């Protein structure tokens, strides 16, 4: 049952009363005084705003969502773009991933950094 708030027009005291949706939403106390109903803003929220600098916020926002792996990558890309926009065009987390990748692979660049990929069997221009 929903909770409704009423205010005493004489002294400003408020009370909350459970009422069904089908009841008339009027409260009259034992002395016959009709209290004024107080309408409140609903506190519903959509998690459309994720802090781009917090890895825990990203995990919490995507943990129980339905969707594809591609949706997850799209959201990650959006947050990377926001970080880059905040810092003048470069995403520090992305740069750290590139640096770590290169350090582990004897200076090789991350595929996303390259304009051309080439090995003994194939050459791909981006």
């Amino acid at each position: 049952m929903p909770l409704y708030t009423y205010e005493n027009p004489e002294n400003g005291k408020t009370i909350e009363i459970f009422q069904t949706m089908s009841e008339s939403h009027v409260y009259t106390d034992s002395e016959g005084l009709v209290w004024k109903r107080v309408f409140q803003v609903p506190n519903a929220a959509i998690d459309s705003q994720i802090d781009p600098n917090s890895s825990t916020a990203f995990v919490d926002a995507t943990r129980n969502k339905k969707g594809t792996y591609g949706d997850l990558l799209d959201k990650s890309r959006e947050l990377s773009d926001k970080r880059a926009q905040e810092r003048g065009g470069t995403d520090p987390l992305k740069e750290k991933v590139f640096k770590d990748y290169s350090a582990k692979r004897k200076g090789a660049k991350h595929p996303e950094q390259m304009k051309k990929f080439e090995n003994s069997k194939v050459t791909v221009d981006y």
Side-chain angles (χ1 to χ4, degrees), residues 17-29:
I17 299 186
F18 284 105
Q19 294 179 319
T20 63
M21 298 286 289
S22 59
E23 287 183 62
S24 64
H25 301 298
V26 178
Y27 175 71
T28 306
D29 64 10

Side-chain angles (χ1 to χ4, degrees), residues 10 28 31-32 35 57 60 65-66 68 71 76-77 84 103 113:
E10 294 176 354
T28 306
E31 299 172 359
W35 290 44
D60 292 342
K65 300 288 186 222
K66 293 187 177 176
T68 64
D71 295 336
S76 177
R77 172 72 56 153
Q113 289 178 297

Side-chain angles (χ1 to χ4, degrees), residues 80-95:
S80 176
D81 291 343
K82 283 183 183 179
R83 283 190 300 271
Q85 187 178 20
E86 289 174 355
R87 290 173 177 82
T90 59
D91 176 10
L93 294 179
K94 192 178 200 180
E95 294 300 318

Side-chain angles (χ1 to χ4, degrees), residues 39-74:
F39 292 91
Q40 299 175 348
V41 177
N43 56 357
I46 299 173
D47 60 351
S48 61
Q49 297 294 341
I50 302 173
D51 180 12
N53 300 308
S54 171
S55 61
T56 57
F58 178 74
V59 170
D60 292 342
T62 57
R63 175 177 291 133
N64 296 321
K65 300 288 186 222
K66 293 187 177 176
T68 64
Y69 181 66
D71 295 336
L72 188 67
L73 292 177
D74 290 343

